[in-house]
Amino acid sequence: MVKNQQDDLLQHAPFGFFSFNDQGIIVAVNARLCIDLGYDRDFLSHRKVEELFTLASRIFYQTHLFPLIKLHGQASEIFLSLLTKDKMEIPVLLNASRFDSGREVLNSCAYIIVSHRRKYEDELLQAKKAAEKALKENEELVKAKVELESNKEVLDRHISKLQQNNQELLQLNQVISHDLQEPIRKMAIFSNILEKEEAGLFSAKGSKALERIRASSTKVLQLMSNLQKYVAIGMDELTKSEVDLAVLIRHLQEEVLFEDKTGTVIFHTDPVPVVEGDRQQLKLLFYHLFCNAVQFRKAEADLIVYIHASLIQHNSFKATSNKFKYVNFVKIQVTDNGQGFDNKYHEYVFKILKKIDSASAGLGFGLAYCKKVVENHFGTIAVESTPGSGTCFTILLPLHQ
């Protein structure tokens, strides 16, 4: 190929080209460079090569690029910016080589414009992040699958244990219902017969002992009846329906007022929403809360009971740690101005057969019933109290089961 043809190919090559000597004087440029930078070839001839660079690239040329070319005879994939005649920056990727033309040593540079380099780098970075995210999610998915399989085994054991406990409770309930109650019932009947028909045969001390036998057998029958009821609350499936708590509470208040007959009980009730639940169990809950307030009111003052309700978002997970699912709950507070009690008993009062005042009426089942009903509805119940300043029960119930 003749020299003129080689020159034509270089002039119209799809890359910019310029050459300069060790004094930094431009010796040659091709047409692509003139088009890219907006210069005439004659204007650039014998000008300083640094005029082609932006300020930052000039510093880079002086401190890195030119020393690198002189030291190694070449430089590859150098990223810098050229400056057009109109002072516009053009990012380019440049390769350079050094050779002896016979008259002087020249440094030839060829470049391509990489105006989309930043876009490509961003796309590559985003693709890398997406790949890393997918890998992490896949690892988390595998981990979650392993945990799920493990949880299935744990859940199966819990279900098996619960089924076993339920069978034992059913057997216990049958024993309470029949095997234990029947002999005690006969003791009560026969002691009553002796007391009425053979009263003259007993001394005063014997008659008193007989009365105690009858009273004790009656108490044991009541205790068994309450235990049977307590077990049944835990065993029975919820008969779910839409329960208008406002109507249910109003009817219970009327019932409590009718039973009390003192006319010294006053109820103040806020609007209460409709919830999904077992109507009979919810009725039992509020009945015993109201009865508890009546039983432990102050003798010298009217009993005032406030029922306040509000909707809140609450975590539906109770037994599983680090799990969260917030759903709609109704928060109901039943507050009275009664006797109150030391708040250190705030958990004790919900246990069966536990009473702060052993001389008070009842067997200690009322608040235990309340706790059982609330737990059956996957809610919570708590109490705060101060001696002489009343008591506040706080109940959280999910709106939907």
Side-chain angles (χ1 to χ4, degrees):
M1 183 179 292
V2 297
K3 187 175 184 302
N4 289 339
Q5 288 178 319
Q6 291 177 340
D7 291 342
D8 288 342
L9 289 174
L10 180 63
Q11 290 299 324
H12 298 93
F15 55 82
F17 172 84
F18 60 93
S19 182
F20 60 93
N21 59 26
D22 284 352
Q23 288 71 46
I25 303 299
I26 297 174
V27 175
V29 297
N30 72 346
R32 182 73 264 169
L33 180 141
C34 294
I35 295 172
D36 290 340
L37 303 187
Y39 287 112
D40 292 329
R41 185 179 302 170
D42 294 339
F43 176 81
L44 292 176
S45 181
H46 298 95
R47 300 187 75 87
K48 284 284 189 178
V49 70
E50 295 181 16
E51 296 183 28
L52 301 179
F53 301 134
T54 62
L55 178 60
S57 292
R58 288 178 192 176
I59 297 173
F60 180 79
Y61 162 78
Q62 295 169 357
T63 59
H64 290 82
L65 179 58
F66 185 55
L68 184 66
I69 297 172
K70 287 186 68 176
L71 179 63
H72 296 286
Q74 64 175 7
S76 301
E77 298 184 3
I78 303 298
F79 180 74
L80 46 75
S81 296
L82 300 181
L83 190 66
T84 70
K85 183 179 180 181
D86 297 329
K87 307 303 180 183
M88 299 291 292
E89 293 186 15
I90 298 179
V92 299
L93 192 65
L94 180 143
N95 288 337
S97 63
R98 182 177 174 85
F99 71 98
D100 190 345
S101 67
R103 291 183 299 172
E104 60 180 337
V105 176
L106 297 177
N107 305 284
S108 297
C109 299
Y111 70 84
I112 56 171
I113 297 175
V114 288
S115 57
H116 297 297
R117 176 176 180 266
R118 181 70 63 183
K119 176 184 175 183
Y120 298 148
E121 287 179 345
D122 290 341
E123 289 177 351
L124 286 172
L125 184 61
Q126 290 175 5
K128 180 182 177 183
K129 289 181 178 179
E132 290 174 347
K133 181 181 178 183
L135 179 61
K136 183 179 179 181
E137 289 177 348
N138 186 59
E139 291 175 350
E140 291 176 349
L141 186 62
V142 172
K143 182 180 177 182
K145 184 178 179 181
V146 172
E147 290 180 354
L148 182 61
E149 292 299 323
S150 176
N151 289 339
K152 281 181 181 179
E153 295 178 5
V154 174
L155 182 60
D156 182 72
R157 293 192 186 102
H158 287 327
I159 291 173
S160 177
K161 184 64 176 176
L162 285 173
Q163 288 174 342
Q164 179 184 342
N165 291 342
N166 284 345
Q167 290 299 319
E168 291 172 355
L169 284 173
L170 281 172
Q171 295 177 34
L172 176 62
N173 199 30
Q174 290 173 355
V175 170
I176 294 173
S177 302
H178 303 288
D179 301 339
L180 288 178
Q181 287 196 33
E182 188 58 27
I184 296 173
R185 189 180 294 109
K186 287 180 179 179
M187 288 173 58
I189 292 172
F190 290 137
S191 62
N192 190 49
I193 291 173
L194 287 173
E195 186 178 17
K196 288 183 178 180
E197 298 183 7
E198 307 293 339
L201 299 176
F202 295 95
S203 64
K205 187 176 181 180
S207 296
K208 190 172 183 180
L210 191 62
E211 171 61 25
R212 287 182 175 178
I213 291 173
R214 188 180 64 81
S216 295
S217 59
T218 301
K219 183 177 180 180
V220 172
L221 285 172
Q222 292 174 347
L223 177 60
M224 288 184 174
S225 176
N226 280 278
L227 280 171
Q228 183 182 2
K229 187 176 181 180
Y230 181 81
V231 172
I233 293 174
M235 295 293 297
D236 293 342
E237 290 286 337
L238 292 181
T239 305
K240 291 182 286 188
S241 64
E242 295 293 315
V243 181
D244 190 335
L245 290 181
V247 174
L248 182 144
I249 288 173
R250 185 171 65 251
H251 289 167
L252 287 174
Q253 289 171 349
E254 293 171 356
E255 185 176 337
V256 169
L257 291 173
F258 178 78
E259 292 175 356
D260 181 66
K261 299 184 184 300
T262 64
T264 60
V265 181
I266 302 169
F267 289 99
H268 294 287
T269 308
D270 287 349
V272 186
V274 174
V275 300
E276 184 182 16
D278 188 302
R279 183 181 302 276
Q280 293 305 314
Q281 289 196 19
L282 292 174
K283 183 178 180 180
L284 189 70
L285 164 66
F286 289 101
Y287 176 77
H288 282 286
L289 286 178
F290 295 156
C291 287
N292 185 79
V294 170
Q295 182 178 356
F296 297 103
R297 65 187 172 186
K298 294 176 183 177
E300 70 279 4
D302 290 348
L303 172 66
I304 304 176
V305 181
Y306 299 90
I307 296 93
H308 174 73
S310 59
L311 292 178
I312 64 169
Q313 289 282 303
H314 188 69
N315 185 19
S316 61
F317 283 96
K318 292 178 62 180
T320 307
S321 60
N322 300 320
K323 296 292 183 182
F324 303 94
K325 180 183 178 183
Y326 287 87
V327 298
N328 289 326
F329 273 68
V330 58
K331 177 181 178 182
I332 303 172
Q333 291 180 300
V334 179
T335 307
D336 65 56
N337 64 337
Q339 299 174 17
F341 58 85
D342 192 325
N343 205 54
K344 68 181 181 181
Y345 297 109
H346 69 282
E347 293 183 357
Y348 178 87
V349 295
F350 291 110
K351 297 178 180 180
I352 60 174
L353 301 175
K354 302 299 182 182
K355 299 193 298 180
I356 296 175
D357 182 4
S358 60
S360 63
L363 297 174
F365 276 90
L367 294 181
Y369 290 153
C370 294
K371 184 175 177 64
K372 180 65 70 174
V373 169
V374 171
E375 288 177 344
N376 284 354
H377 287 76
F378 304 99
T380 60
I381 182 170
V383 63
E384 291 185 4
S385 188
T386 304
S389 299
T391 302
C392 177
F393 289 91
T394 301
I395 304 150
L396 296 180
L397 294 172
L399 285 185
H400 303 284
Q401 291 298 316

